[in-house]
Amino acid sequence: EVQLLESGGGLVQPGGSLRLSCAASGFTFTNYAMSWVRQTPGKGLEWVSVISGSGSRTYYADSVKGRFTISRDNSKNTLYLQMNSLRADDTAVYYCAKVEWGYYFDYWGQGTVVTVSS
Amino acid sequence: QSALTQPASVSGSPGQSITISCTGTSSDVGGSKYVSWYQHHPGKAPKLLISEVSNRPSGVSNRFSGSKSGNTASLTISGLLAEDEAEYYCSSYTSSSTPYVFGTGTKVTVL
Protein backbone atom coordinates (compact mmCIF):
# COMPACT_ATOMS: atom_id res chain seq x y z
CA GLU A 1 0.00 0.00 0.00
CA VAL A 2 1.38 3.39 -0.99
CA GLN A 3 1.77 5.76 1.94
CA LEU A 4 2.99 9.34 1.96
CA LEU A 5 3.45 11.10 5.29
CA GLU A 6 4.32 14.78 5.41
CA SER A 7 5.89 16.53 8.38
CA GLY A 8 7.69 19.74 9.25
CA GLY A 9 4.88 22.25 9.02
CA GLY A 10 4.32 24.92 11.61
CA LEU A 11 4.13 28.61 12.38
CA VAL A 12 6.94 30.77 11.00
CA GLN A 13 7.47 34.51 10.76
CA PRO A 14 7.60 36.30 7.39
CA GLY A 15 11.09 36.02 5.96
CA GLY A 16 11.72 32.80 7.85
CA SER A 17 12.51 29.29 6.67
CA LEU A 18 11.00 25.85 7.06
CA ARG A 19 11.83 22.40 5.71
CA LEU A 20 9.06 19.96 4.92
CA SER A 21 9.60 16.22 4.66
CA CYS A 22 7.55 13.47 3.06
CA ALA A 23 8.26 9.88 4.01
CA ALA A 24 7.23 7.44 1.30
CA SER A 25 6.54 3.70 1.45
CA GLY A 26 4.81 0.98 -0.51
CA PHE A 27 6.51 1.60 -3.86
CA THR A 28 10.00 1.81 -5.37
CA PHE A 29 10.67 5.43 -4.51
CA THR A 30 13.57 6.01 -6.87
CA ASN A 31 11.47 5.03 -9.90
CA TYR A 32 9.03 7.91 -9.59
CA ALA A 33 9.01 11.66 -9.80
CA MET A 34 7.56 13.35 -6.73
CA SER A 35 5.82 16.66 -6.34
CA TRP A 36 4.62 19.21 -3.81
CA VAL A 37 1.17 20.76 -4.18
CA ARG A 38 -0.37 23.30 -1.82
CA GLN A 39 -3.85 24.50 -0.94
CA THR A 40 -4.11 28.03 0.35
CA PRO A 41 -6.93 28.99 2.71
CA GLY A 42 -10.18 29.37 0.82
CA LYS A 43 -8.50 28.68 -2.47
CA GLY A 44 -7.75 25.73 -4.63
CA LEU A 45 -4.81 23.50 -5.29
CA GLU A 46 -1.61 25.02 -6.62
CA TRP A 47 1.25 22.98 -8.00
CA VAL A 48 4.53 23.99 -6.32
CA SER A 49 7.43 21.83 -7.50
CA VAL A 50 8.43 18.46 -8.97
CA ILE A 51 11.62 16.41 -8.90
CA SER A 52 12.60 13.47 -11.10
CA GLY A 53 13.20 10.02 -9.68
CA SER A 54 16.96 10.44 -9.74
CA GLY A 55 16.76 13.98 -8.40
CA SER A 56 18.60 15.40 -11.40
CA ARG A 57 15.71 17.47 -12.73
CA THR A 58 13.58 19.94 -10.82
CA TYR A 59 10.88 22.40 -11.78
CA TYR A 60 9.12 25.13 -9.83
CA ALA A 61 6.04 27.31 -9.99
CA ASP A 62 6.89 30.95 -10.70
CA SER A 63 5.46 31.90 -7.30
CA VAL A 64 8.18 29.97 -5.42
CA LYS A 65 11.09 29.98 -7.86
CA GLY A 66 14.27 31.19 -6.18
CA ARG A 67 12.83 30.73 -2.68
CA PHE A 68 11.92 27.02 -2.47
CA THR A 69 14.17 24.04 -3.17
CA ILE A 70 12.89 20.51 -3.74
CA SER A 71 15.17 17.56 -3.07
CA ARG A 72 15.03 13.86 -2.26
CA ASP A 73 17.05 11.21 -0.46
CA ASN A 74 16.38 7.95 -2.25
CA SER A 75 18.28 6.00 0.41
CA LYS A 76 15.72 7.19 2.96
CA ASN A 77 12.66 7.21 0.66
CA THR A 78 12.10 10.81 1.65
CA LEU A 79 11.14 13.94 -0.26
CA TYR A 80 11.95 17.43 1.00
CA LEU A 81 10.92 21.02 0.41
CA GLN A 82 13.19 23.72 1.74
CA MET A 83 11.22 26.95 1.97
CA ASN A 84 13.10 30.22 2.45
CA SER A 85 12.02 33.87 2.47
CA LEU A 86 8.53 32.80 3.42
CA ARG A 87 5.66 35.20 2.83
CA ALA A 88 2.12 35.39 4.16
CA ASP A 89 0.78 34.09 0.87
CA ASP A 90 2.78 30.89 1.33
CA THR A 91 0.38 29.97 4.13
CA ALA A 92 -1.20 26.70 3.01
CA VAL A 93 -1.59 23.01 3.49
CA TYR A 94 1.31 21.37 1.68
CA TYR A 95 0.79 17.94 0.12
CA CYS A 96 3.36 15.63 -1.33
CA ALA A 97 2.22 13.53 -4.26
CA LYS A 98 3.61 10.64 -6.28
CA VAL A 99 3.74 11.43 -9.97
CA GLU A 100 2.67 8.67 -12.35
CA TRP A 101 4.32 8.56 -15.78
CA GLY A 102 5.34 12.16 -15.16
CA TYR A 103 1.87 13.38 -16.00
CA TYR A 104 -0.52 13.10 -13.05
CA PHE A 105 -0.64 12.59 -9.29
CA ASP A 106 -1.82 9.12 -8.32
CA TYR A 107 -1.19 9.17 -4.57
CA TRP A 108 -1.23 12.02 -2.09
CA GLY A 109 -0.33 12.51 1.55
CA GLN A 110 -2.63 13.99 4.18
CA GLY A 111 -0.78 17.30 4.14
CA THR A 112 1.11 19.46 6.61
CA VAL A 113 0.04 22.97 7.58
CA VAL A 114 2.37 25.93 7.10
CA THR A 115 1.36 29.26 8.59
CA VAL A 116 3.42 32.38 7.87
CA SER A 117 2.52 35.12 10.29
CA SER A 118 4.09 37.54 12.71
CA GLN B 1 0.41 29.76 -16.37
CA SER B 2 -3.14 30.61 -15.28
CA ALA B 3 -5.36 28.21 -13.38
CA LEU B 4 -7.87 26.23 -15.38
CA THR B 5 -11.42 27.55 -15.05
CA GLN B 6 -14.04 25.49 -13.22
CA PRO B 7 -17.48 26.49 -11.95
CA ALA B 8 -17.31 27.40 -8.27
CA SER B 9 -20.18 25.11 -7.35
CA VAL B 10 -22.45 22.44 -8.79
CA SER B 11 -25.32 20.73 -6.99
CA GLY B 12 -27.64 17.85 -7.61
CA SER B 13 -30.08 15.52 -5.90
CA PRO B 14 -29.21 11.94 -4.99
CA GLY B 15 -29.38 9.71 -8.06
CA GLN B 16 -28.97 12.55 -10.52
CA SER B 17 -26.03 13.17 -12.83
CA ILE B 18 -23.90 16.29 -12.78
CA THR B 19 -21.10 17.53 -15.01
CA ILE B 20 -18.17 19.72 -14.03
CA SER B 21 -16.33 21.63 -16.74
CA CYS B 22 -12.66 22.56 -16.84
CA THR B 23 -11.61 25.14 -19.41
CA GLY B 24 -8.04 25.87 -20.36
CA THR B 25 -6.09 26.74 -23.48
CA SER B 26 -4.35 25.00 -26.34
CA SER B 27 -1.18 25.02 -24.21
CA ASP B 28 -2.74 22.82 -21.55
CA VAL B 29 -6.14 21.09 -21.78
CA GLY B 30 -6.55 21.52 -25.52
CA GLY B 31 -3.10 20.27 -26.36
CA SER B 32 -2.68 17.59 -23.70
CA LYS B 33 -3.62 13.93 -23.43
CA TYR B 34 -2.94 14.21 -19.71
CA VAL B 35 -5.96 15.79 -18.08
CA SER B 36 -6.75 14.36 -14.65
CA TRP B 37 -9.45 14.83 -12.03
CA TYR B 38 -9.22 14.69 -8.23
CA GLN B 39 -11.73 14.45 -5.41
CA HIS B 40 -10.88 16.22 -2.17
CA HIS B 41 -12.76 15.83 1.07
CA PRO B 42 -11.72 18.43 3.68
CA GLY B 43 -8.95 17.20 5.93
CA LYS B 44 -8.20 14.19 3.76
CA ALA B 45 -5.73 13.39 1.03
CA PRO B 46 -6.91 14.26 -2.48
CA LYS B 47 -7.85 11.19 -4.51
CA LEU B 48 -7.20 10.56 -8.20
CA LEU B 49 -10.48 9.87 -10.02
CA ILE B 50 -9.58 10.14 -13.70
CA SER B 51 -6.26 10.16 -15.55
CA GLU B 52 -5.45 10.80 -19.22
CA VAL B 53 -8.82 12.49 -19.87
CA SER B 54 -11.01 9.43 -19.39
CA ASN B 55 -9.09 6.59 -17.71
CA ARG B 56 -10.45 5.44 -14.40
CA PRO B 57 -7.87 3.95 -12.01
CA SER B 58 -8.59 0.62 -10.40
CA GLY B 59 -10.92 1.02 -7.45
CA VAL B 60 -12.62 4.20 -8.64
CA SER B 61 -16.36 3.88 -9.10
CA ASN B 62 -17.64 3.71 -12.68
CA ARG B 63 -20.05 6.50 -11.73
CA PHE B 64 -17.17 8.84 -12.48
CA SER B 65 -16.32 9.50 -16.13
CA GLY B 66 -14.19 12.01 -18.01
CA SER B 67 -14.13 13.50 -21.48
CA LYS B 68 -12.64 16.37 -23.45
CA SER B 69 -13.63 18.59 -26.34
CA GLY B 70 -11.26 21.26 -27.56
CA ASN B 71 -9.96 23.30 -24.64
CA THR B 72 -12.61 22.03 -22.21
CA ALA B 73 -12.53 18.83 -20.20
CA SER B 74 -15.48 17.48 -18.25
CA LEU B 75 -16.10 15.20 -15.29
CA THR B 76 -19.50 13.55 -15.01
CA ILE B 77 -20.74 12.00 -11.80
CA SER B 78 -23.74 9.76 -12.34
CA GLY B 79 -26.05 8.34 -9.69
CA LEU B 80 -25.04 11.06 -7.24
CA LEU B 81 -24.47 9.86 -3.66
CA ALA B 82 -24.16 11.82 -0.43
CA GLU B 83 -20.53 10.71 -0.18
CA ASP B 84 -19.79 12.52 -3.47
CA GLU B 85 -20.11 15.84 -1.67
CA ALA B 86 -16.56 17.21 -1.92
CA GLU B 87 -14.31 19.59 -3.82
CA TYR B 88 -13.27 18.47 -7.31
CA TYR B 89 -10.21 19.65 -9.22
CA CYS B 90 -9.02 19.13 -12.75
CA SER B 91 -5.38 19.26 -13.72
CA SER B 92 -3.44 19.26 -16.95
CA TYR B 93 0.11 18.56 -17.98
CA THR B 94 1.23 21.57 -20.00
CA SER B 95 3.68 22.42 -22.73
CA SER B 96 4.89 25.49 -20.85
CA SER B 97 7.79 25.90 -18.41
CA THR B 98 5.29 25.14 -15.64
CA PRO B 99 4.54 21.48 -16.31
CA TYR B 100 1.35 21.18 -14.27
CA VAL B 101 -1.68 23.39 -13.72
CA PHE B 102 -4.77 22.84 -11.57
CA GLY B 103 -8.30 24.05 -11.97
CA THR B 104 -9.93 26.55 -9.64
CA GLY B 105 -11.96 23.81 -7.99
CA THR B 106 -15.67 22.98 -7.87
CA LYS B 107 -17.66 22.39 -4.70
CA VAL B 108 -20.22 19.64 -5.28
CA THR B 109 -23.25 19.72 -3.03
CA VAL B 110 -25.70 16.83 -2.80
CA LEU B 111 -29.10 18.30 -2.02
Side-chain angles (χ1 to χ4, degrees), chain B residues 16-89:
Chain B
Q16 284 187 330
S17 292
I18 60 170
T19 297
I20 302 168
S21 61
C22 169
T23 301
T25 69
S26 57
S27 295
D28 39 65
V29 174
S32 178
K33 297 188 298 184
Y34 304 105
V35 177
S36 49
W37 289 90
Y38 305 87
Q39 178 189 60
H40 190 201
H41 288 104
K44 293 195 172 183
K47 176 185 177 183
L48 174 67
L49 292 178
I50 298 288
S51 67
E52 298 169 78
V53 177
S54 59
N55 288 354
R56 206 170 37 247
S58 173
V60 173
S61 171
N62 60 8
R63 297 185 300 105
F64 296 94
S65 61
S67 63
K68 190 184 84 166
S69 177
N71 294 339
T72 298
S74 299
L75 174 72
T76 297
I77 309 174
S78 58
L80 206 57
L81 300 174
E83 67 200 48
D84 297 332
E85 192 160 287
E87 194 87 17
Y88 291 81
Y89 294 91

Side-chain angles (χ1 to χ4, degrees), chain A residues 39 44 47 95 102-103 105 108-109, chain B residues 34 38 40 43 45-46 89 100 102:
Chain A
Q39 181 175 31
W47 173 77
Y95 298 96
Y103 299 124
F105 312 99
W108 300 62
Chain B
Y34 304 105
Y38 305 87
H40 190 201
Y89 294 91
Y100 310 99
F102 281 93

Side-chain angles (χ1 to χ4, degrees), chain A residues 33 35 37 39 43-47 50 59-62 65 95 99 101-110, chain B residues 1 34 36 38 40 43-48 51-52 87 89 91-93 97-105:
Chain A
S35 196
V37 178
Q39 181 175 31
K43 293 189 178 180
L45 298 176
E46 178 189 15
W47 173 77
V50 65
Y59 299 90
Y60 299 91
D62 289 342
K65 201 173 293 183
Y95 298 96
V99 185
W101 294 113
Y103 299 124
Y104 54 89
F105 312 99
D106 60 344
Y107 290 95
W108 300 62
Q110 297 270 10
Chain B
Q1 183 72 47
Y34 304 105
S36 49
Y38 305 87
H40 190 201
K44 293 195 172 183
K47 176 185 177 183
L48 174 67
S51 67
E52 298 169 78
E87 194 87 17
Y89 294 91
S91 179
S92 176
Y93 186 76
S97 59
T98 304
Y100 310 99
V101 61
F102 281 93
T104 50

Side-chain angles (χ1 to χ4, degrees), chain A residues 2-5 21-36 51-55 70-80 96-99:
Chain A
V2 172
Q3 291 194 343
L4 299 170
L5 184 61
S21 300
C22 172
S25 61
F27 63 102
T28 305
F29 187 66
T30 191
N31 286 355
Y32 293 92
M34 296 292 295
S35 196
W36 289 98
I51 186 168
S52 62
S54 67
I70 192 171
S71 63
R72 62 192 297 160
D73 186 335
N74 286 344
S75 68
K76 295 182 178 179
N77 286 358
T78 302
L79 174 72
Y80 302 101
C96 72
K98 174 178 168 287
V99 185

